[in-house]
Amino acid sequence: MTLAVFWGCTCIAFGPALGLCLVTVLRHPLRVIILVAGAFFWLVSLLLSSLVWFIAVKASDPGNKPLQKGLLIFGVLFSVLLQEAFRFLYYKLLRKAIEGLVALSEDGCSPISIQQMAYVAGLGFGLMSGAFSMINLLADALGPGTVGIHGDSQLYFLTSAFMTMVVIFLHTFWGILFFHGCETQRWWEMAAVVLTHLIVSGSTFWNPLYVGSLIPSYLLMFAMAAWAYVLSGGCTRNLLQRLQGQQSETSPQPGS
Amino acid sequence: MMITFMNSSDSEEEACNERTSLMSAESPPVSSYQDGLQAPEASETPAHRKSHTGGSRSPSDDVDGGNSESGLPVRDIPLDNEEEELTLKYGAKHVIMLFVPVTLCMIVVVATIKSVRFYTEKNGQLIYTPFSEDTPSVGQRLLNSVLNTIIMISVIIVMTVFLVVLYKYRCYKFIHGWLILSSLMLLFLFTYIYLGEVLKTYNVAMDYPTLFFVIWNFGAVGMICIHWKGPLQLQQAYLIMISALMALVFIKYLPEWSAWVILGAISIYDLIAVLCPKGPLRMLVETAQERNEPIFPALIYSSAMVWTVGMAKPDPASTGCSQQTWDSAEDVRENHDNPTYVDSEISEARSPALIHPTASLLEELEEEERFMSDSFIASCVQESIACSSHLHHLWLDILLLNRQPGETFHGHPGISSVVYLKVKKNNLEGYGLFFLKPCYEVWHFKQGSCIVLHLVPYIFKRTF
């Protein structure tokens, strides 16, 4: 594999997310802290779920392929549920943080709203998730070898990169939806997030039939994006106006 | 409303102005709490404050307090609300300002480990970790690592206590001599080894004259930047490189399990040393504050610094405050007994320097940069010295270069922040303890109590 593959996959997977980061997060220290803490929360959830999977694997018969596959599926399921649980925990933490920030500020207003925090937290989750998905692949891409020489798909790196990108975006939108659901006590939004997460992760079991995992994920991503946009106060009129370069009266920013 | 917030936070993109000189880490006298502080600030700050929100405000709203005290170099401590805001805004922005060097350091370390085989070859251990980890059983290995940790921590404790004793008995020349010696060793010897290994890895031939030239320049400029004056970014870069070198030495000479246990133990020790009333580091800081002296300025990483600029027109206020800031630096190096001599020296030295428009602006600018010192340099150097078995006679360096506690306000006489924050009435304290061990950063804010462990290099080592 070549340096071109490495850079290409890196940019595909992380380009949009890092662009988002650069434009919206990196210039604001508070958001950077929330981002990093969110990444850390995701990391902890991954650690715990992988511990569980590891123990399960060690305790089972390594030769039994269906069992191992079943354990993997179980591991993924458990990991998804744990990630969402940690998202909820992070929401709780951020709520407390907002109260603290409000108390500390002089005009009784938090410098950052829960919607912004939701976005940043989702981005943090996504970035860390993407990092863990792609880093090993990228490291291997730098070394010698041929993709799929033993009969596997040759598109492995490319599809992984695209999958990573969509997962990062999905985490961002899930963050917005989830926090909104928590804020407005709409449990069905939270359930939708969990469900779609399970669907996306489950669809990866269709790999190497990449059309089975990438296409549903992208469709879901667009759906989540639209939903998050609407929840954040945007509407189609604004979007069209923006696309046509006009000034819109109402802001598509998250409402206060 | 959100737009306002976003815009406002965009607008206060204060680059830390690099008007620099090495700011001595001052611990000026505890100023009296001025309840009337609000009044002089009120004129300038409301609009200013409203437009700056959240975690990244400039501290210039505190400046006005300093302005109002003409001639009094002491910055007034704002009251509760402002203290808390100050902490928070100080915390968020300056934490971020410290993310960058730590990340850079880690990148350097990881890059080196990935490419230069030398630092991953286990080639013996230090005398501080005598127990080997090549044991047949897991339990034995664990025991050995714990024993290694105990030895290392006791060495550190002894050294710290020794340092405090030295400091209490005012052996400044001694301390500074060792400081300089140890940074000399770092900048020259370790760089030489590092450069040698890198050249070996990439199979680049370099003759000794060239090598001497390169290392001499690197080391000399480093000494000047770190111990005296220099461009801010150059100083930061040097400190980052030194930390990376330390981390590499550690990675090479510490066995794995011992490293992990030492990591945990040293975090706990540091918290104890700084926060307990009888902790050596706390005593060090308190002694320094009592004496109104800086604490080993050379080893503090500054995220921003301020020139103490000269004035075209000698203004008592500014020369007063400038004198204060320089005084301590000079004090430590010279004698305490000749402030007048020092004064004239300073004014002479600065008359050809930049001309600054107004006295108040001077103070404002001096106050503007407030930054954290982190002691990761110190600890890394310390550990590097500890590591090097040949240099056990430089144990004192461990002492001297022990962790600098807390954050320090540089520039205009701000109290050393550990002390400053200690005297806050509502006990809202933020201590930043920074030490960069081979692969981790522990940052502790009492207020937020977040402990962030960056285990990146170890993770990378495993996953790659």
Side-chain angles (χ1 to χ4, degrees):
Chain A
M1 293 142 289
T2 61
L3 212 55
V5 170
F6 170 78
W7 283 115
C9 288
T10 307
C11 293
I12 289 175
F14 295 112
L18 285 180
L20 271 178
C21 228
L22 203 65
V23 171
T24 54
V25 173
L26 287 182
R27 297 188 195 281
H28 308 105
L30 207 51
R31 294 182 201 173
V32 175
I33 295 180
I34 295 175
L35 185 89
V36 173
F40 181 65
F41 268 71
W42 187 91
L43 197 57
V44 172
S45 82
L46 182 76
L47 179 71
L48 293 176
S49 53
S50 61
L51 264 175
V52 166
W53 174 80
F54 187 70
I55 293 174
V57 161
K58 283 293 177 200
S60 67
D61 168 28
N64 189 349
K65 287 281 188 268
L67 176 65
Q68 293 299 318
K69 180 87 187 235
L71 277 178
L72 189 62
I73 295 180
F74 159 72
V76 166
L77 235 72
F78 184 70
S79 178
V80 167
L81 294 174
L82 206 60
Q83 282 175 41
E84 297 305 325
F86 268 78
R87 207 195 294 274
F88 182 70
L89 279 174
Y90 196 43
Y91 164 75
K92 285 275 171 231
L93 183 70
L94 286 178
R95 264 251 75 100
K96 284 220 182 76
I98 278 204
E99 286 164 22
L101 285 171
V102 166
L104 286 177
S105 78
E106 70 230 342
D107 51 357
C109 243
S110 161
I112 188 171
S113 73
I114 191 76
Q115 290 91 346
Q116 289 173 329
M117 281 184 170
Y119 160 70
V120 175
L123 195 57
F125 267 53
L127 278 173
M128 191 50 104
S129 154
F132 267 76
S133 306
M134 274 313 278
I135 288 287
N136 277 333
L137 259 71
L138 292 174
D140 284 339
L142 278 175
T146 308
V147 191
I149 197 168
H150 289 298
D152 302 302
S153 163
Q154 290 180 358
L155 296 173
Y156 177 53
F157 282 4
L158 210 54
T159 50
S160 303
F162 277 105
M163 193 69 198
T164 305
M165 173 171 77
V166 82
V167 162
I168 296 180
F169 275 131
L170 274 170
H171 268 291
T172 313
F173 301 133
W174 283 331
I176 299 177
L177 291 174
F178 196 87
F179 278 41
H180 185 263
C182 292
E183 279 288 296
T184 53
Q185 311 283 326
R186 290 190 207 162
W187 62 269
W188 51 273
E189 280 179 8
M190 297 154 64
V193 166
V194 178
L195 200 63
T196 44
H197 196 167
L198 283 169
I199 292 175
V200 168
S201 296
S203 73
T204 59
F205 282 105
W206 268 319
N207 291 344
L209 184 67
Y210 293 114
V211 69
S213 68
L214 280 177
I215 296 193
S217 306
Y218 271 88
L219 290 174
L220 270 173
M221 191 261 282
F222 286 121
M224 296 286 124
W227 194 0
Y229 181 68
V230 165
L231 278 184
S232 307
C235 55
T236 45
R237 187 164 46 98
N238 286 343
L239 191 59
L240 288 172
Q241 281 180 342
R242 290 256 162 179
L243 286 174
Q244 290 165 8
Q246 290 172 16
Q247 291 280 345
S248 59
E249 307 94 35
T250 52
S251 155
Q253 300 280 341
S256 56
Chain B
M1 196 198 292
M2 280 313 118
I3 303 182
T4 330
F5 278 112
M6 285 172 81
N7 285 342
S8 61
S9 33
D10 289 336
S11 65
E12 34 117 323
E13 206 45 7
E14 310 120 8
C16 298
N17 297 320
E18 292 165 24
R19 289 133 323 129
T20 73
S21 76
L22 246 195
M23 287 321 298
S24 42
E26 280 208 326
S27 27
V30 181
S31 61
S32 55
Y33 287 88
Q34 302 262 336
D35 285 3
L37 181 65
Q38 307 281 359
E41 291 181 320
S43 54
E44 194 259 348
T45 47
H48 187 63
R49 283 225 196 94
K50 286 291 187 284
S51 68
H52 291 152
T53 55
S56 24
R57 254 183 299 189
S58 84
S60 50
D61 43 18
D62 294 301
V63 169
D64 300 304
N67 283 341
S68 63
E69 308 286 323
S70 66
L72 230 180
V74 176
R75 182 179 51 76
D76 295 313
I77 303 174
L79 283 187
D80 288 348
N81 261 0
E82 295 165 39
E83 285 173 2
E84 294 168 25
E85 289 161 6
L86 185 64
T87 312
L88 178 65
K89 119 188 118 190
Y90 170 79
K93 181 177 182 193
H94 293 83
V95 160
I96 305 304
M97 271 162 37
L98 281 167
F99 272 9
V100 173
V102 174
T103 313
L104 273 176
C105 186
M106 283 197 244
I107 289 175
V108 170
V109 171
V110 168
T112 308
I113 288 186
K114 292 309 297 172
S115 50
V116 180
R117 289 285 146 226
F118 173 73
Y119 286 105
T120 42
E121 293 159 6
K122 291 292 169 189
N123 199 5
Q125 287 180 210
L126 307 168
I127 58 171
Y128 306 106
T129 53
F131 294 95
S132 159
E133 287 199 2
D134 279 332
T135 53
S137 76
V138 170
Q140 181 72 17
R141 189 172 184 183
L142 195 60
L143 180 69
N144 281 356
S145 56
V146 169
L147 288 172
N148 281 340
T149 308
I150 292 176
I151 295 177
M152 184 72 113
I153 299 286
S154 7
V155 166
I156 290 176
I157 292 178
V158 164
M159 295 311 161
T160 315
V161 168
F162 192 18
L163 166 74
V164 173
V165 162
L166 270 185
Y167 191 68
K168 265 198 175 341
Y169 290 107
R170 298 180 183 262
C171 310
Y172 295 130
K173 289 222 185 290
F174 195 47
I175 292 177
H176 278 269
W178 280 119
L179 257 180
I180 290 182
L181 253 175
S182 60
S183 43
L184 262 175
M185 184 198 79
L186 255 178
L187 280 169
F188 287 99
L189 179 65
F190 282 20
T191 310
Y192 168 71
I193 294 174
Y194 179 77
L195 195 59
E197 293 306 321
V198 168
L199 291 175
K200 265 189 232 172
T201 304
Y202 291 105
N203 206 16
V204 173
M206 189 184 268
D207 52 314
Y208 273 112
T210 311
L211 186 72
F212 172 76
F213 186 72
V214 167
I215 292 190
W216 169 253
N217 274 290
F218 180 82
V221 175
M223 287 302 291
I224 292 175
C225 269
I226 293 175
H227 289 272
W228 194 51
K229 289 187 237 196
L232 174 69
Q233 283 175 334
L234 197 61
Q235 196 218 5
Q236 292 175 334
Y238 267 104
L239 293 175
I240 292 174
M241 283 190 262
I242 287 183
S243 313
L245 284 173
M246 278 345 97
L248 286 168
V249 168
F250 250 139
I251 290 175
K252 183 170 175 64
Y253 287 114
L254 264 190
E256 280 188 5
W257 288 28
S258 306
W260 286 105
V261 184
I262 286 179
L263 184 117
I266 242 179
S267 323
I268 298 172
Y269 162 71
D270 254 356
L271 291 174
I272 294 175
V274 173
L275 299 177
C276 281
K278 279 297 167 192
L281 296 178
R282 192 177 179 112
M283 283 169 56
L284 183 71
V285 173
E286 283 172 1
T287 317
Q289 192 255 331
E290 276 166 34
R291 295 182 193 169
N292 196 11
E293 278 167 8
I295 311 173
F296 309 130
L299 292 174
I300 311 178
Y301 180 90
S302 317
S303 35
M305 297 199 291
V306 170
W307 281 116
T308 49
V309 293
M311 297 285 297
K313 195 170 53 168
D315 184 330
S318 66
T319 41
C321 78
S322 313
Q323 172 200 343
Q324 177 78 10
T325 52
W326 271 110
D327 212 355
S328 40
E330 298 302 314
D331 260 350
V332 182
R333 290 174 174 84
E334 313 291 328
N335 42 19
H336 296 260
D337 306 328
N338 290 349
T340 52
Y341 170 68
V342 169
D343 207 0
S344 60
E345 226 181 8
I346 294 171
S347 36
E348 266 175 59
R350 275 188 287 109
S351 50
L354 292 173
I355 309 293
H356 202 282
T358 58
S360 62
L361 203 49
L362 167 71
E363 283 157 66
E364 181 178 321
L365 289 166
E366 283 185 2
E367 282 261 44
E368 212 171 300
E369 271 75 47
R370 195 157 300 172
F371 47 90
M372 273 184 204
S373 67
D374 64 9
S375 52
F376 68 106
I377 306 298
S379 66
C380 284
V381 179
Q382 160 191 333
E383 277 132 17
S384 79
I385 314 276
C387 283
S388 165
S389 48
H390 311 295
L391 297 165
H392 52 270
H393 60 278
L394 282 176
W395 280 12
L396 274 176
D397 294 77
I398 300 173
L399 241 124
L400 307 174
L401 307 173
N402 206 334
R403 287 169 227 37
Q404 305 306 326
E407 312 114 60
T408 315
F409 294 116
H410 285 238
H412 193 75
I415 313 178
S416 137
S417 69
V418 170
V419 179
Y420 161 65
L421 294 163
K422 254 168 44 179
V423 303
K424 282 204 305 198
K425 289 178 230 169
N426 54 4
N427 212 27
L428 207 74
E429 298 171 299
Y431 292 126
L433 299 172
F434 289 85
F435 34 88
L436 186 73
K437 296 298 181 282
C439 316
Y440 78 96
E441 160 202 16
V442 174
W443 144 54
H444 168 69
F445 269 87
K446 215 164 158 193
Q447 195 174 320
S449 284
C450 303
I451 298 184
V452 177
L453 293 159
H454 290 282
L455 305 174
V456 172
Y458 271 141
I459 294 178
F460 273 77
K461 214 159 109 176
R462 302 250 178 303
T463 55
F464 270 69

